[in-house]
Amino acid sequence: MGVIDLQNYSIIKSKNQDTNVYIMHKLLLPMSQINESFPRLEKAWNLVQERGVFVDPTNTFKATVRGSGSMSYQVNLALGTCQCRDHQIHPEFFCKHLHALDIMEKMRIGEIEVEN
């Protein structure tokens, strides 16, 4: 099993400038899951930057997240569920919508810090 330490790891370069995302804990994931997750994380970060995540004000673990085109999906972070096709086909991975809500929640509680 491979281990990746994402603490102080710049995971995304934004369109206009470098953006560093700091994660305050270590992830222990198999390399296959890491390789599958990075493209989803990049797309999730773009959704966050483009304000495509609409968090439920009464429950921050639920959101409506914009998908491709005019589609939007109901996401429940606590249950790890999303209505999108990617999540239905690969339920073992977080889709970009779940990652986007996870990023928003971690930013809210200060676990992820964004510096421009």
Side-chain angles (χ1 to χ4, degrees), residues 82-102:
C82 180
Q83 302 167 323
C84 76
R85 181 169 162 69
D86 183 37
H87 186 69
Q88 304 310 312
I89 294 171
H90 301 287
E92 68 275 19
F93 301 118
F94 266 22
C95 63
K96 68 181 178 183
H97 311 104
L98 278 164
H99 275 301
L101 180 55
D102 187 45

Side-chain angles (χ1 to χ4, degrees), residues 35-94:
N35 292 337
E36 286 286 332
S37 294
F38 273 142
R40 290 176 176 94
L41 279 167
E42 184 174 7
K43 292 174 183 176
W45 180 248
N46 289 336
L47 282 170
V48 170
Q49 284 187 310
E50 296 166 1
R51 302 194 192 312
V53 182
F54 307 96
V55 179
D56 182 333
T58 62
N59 183 346
T60 58
F61 288 99
K62 292 183 177 182
T64 301
V65 181
R66 190 175 62 232
S68 302
S70 62
M71 297 293 296
S72 290
Y73 300 101
Q74 298 303 310
V75 178
N76 186 321
L77 188 58
L79 297 177
T81 59
C82 180
Q83 302 167 323
C84 76
R85 181 169 162 69
D86 183 37
H87 186 69
Q88 304 310 312
I89 294 171
H90 301 287
E92 68 275 19
F93 301 118
F94 266 22

Side-chain angles (χ1 to χ4, degrees), residues 96-114:
K96 68 181 178 183
H97 311 104
L98 278 164
H99 275 301
L101 180 55
D102 187 45
I103 290 167
M104 293 289 291
E105 177 60 16
K106 287 178 179 173
M107 287 170 66
R108 185 186 71 79
I109 64 172
E111 195 171 315
I112 292 179
E113 220 175 279
V114 178

Side-chain angles (χ1 to χ4, degrees), residues 1-7 23-30 34 37-38 41 99 102 106 111:
M1 177 185 301
V3 177
I4 187 166
D5 179 356
L6 291 180
Q7 188 168 0
I23 300 174
M24 304 307 178
H25 67 278
K26 294 180 181 180
L27 299 176
L28 182 62
L29 300 171
I34 292 167
S37 294
F38 273 142
L41 279 167
H99 275 301
D102 187 45
K106 287 178 179 173
E111 195 171 315

